[in-house]
């Protein structure tokens, strides 16, 4: 694993090099590059629909089930915990 402290925000070229030596002393080296993207910024929005027609839950409405709904965008997905 690559420690996240070694990565910068955005694109990172991660190089893995493996060196092996056989019983005869021959050395083999394999190198692989991977692009790893570190994205720690959540770009999202939550838009709530009107609640209880007037966006105010009065005493009577507070005693009954009230549907809160809306839409998400950006990195947010339907079903994410908010």
């Amino acid at each position: 694993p690559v420690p996240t402290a070694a990565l910068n925000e955005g694109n990172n070229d991660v190089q893995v090099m493996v060196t092996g030596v056989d019983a005869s002393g021959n050395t083999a080296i394999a190198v692989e590059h991977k692009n790893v993207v570190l994205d720690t910024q959540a770009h999202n929005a939550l838009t709530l629909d009107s609640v209880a027609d007037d966006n105010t839950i009065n005493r009577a409405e507070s005693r009954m089930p009230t549907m809160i709904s809306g839409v998400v965008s950006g990195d947010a997905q339907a079903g994410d915990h908010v």
Side-chain angles (χ1 to χ4, degrees), residues 23-72:
S24 299
N26 299 312
T27 301
I29 299 173
V31 177
E32 180 72 27
H33 288 267
K34 290 288 183 183
N35 185 49
V36 176
V37 178
L38 178 62
D39 180 6
T40 61
Q41 305 299 312
H43 302 283
N44 56 49
L46 172 65
T47 304
L48 294 177
D49 295 334
S50 295
V51 178
D53 294 327
D54 60 0
N55 283 331
T56 302
I57 298 175
N58 62 34
R59 183 176 177 163
E61 292 166 335
S62 72
R63 294 191 168 107
M64 65 178 89
T66 302
M67 173 65 78
I68 309 280
S69 62
V71 295
V72 295

Side-chain angles (χ1 to χ4, degrees), residues 2 6-7 11-16 31-37:
V2 176
L7 300 174
N11 291 323
N12 294 270
D13 178 39
V14 176
Q15 175 181 312
V16 176
V31 177
E32 180 72 27
H33 288 267
K34 290 288 183 183
N35 185 49
V36 176
V37 178

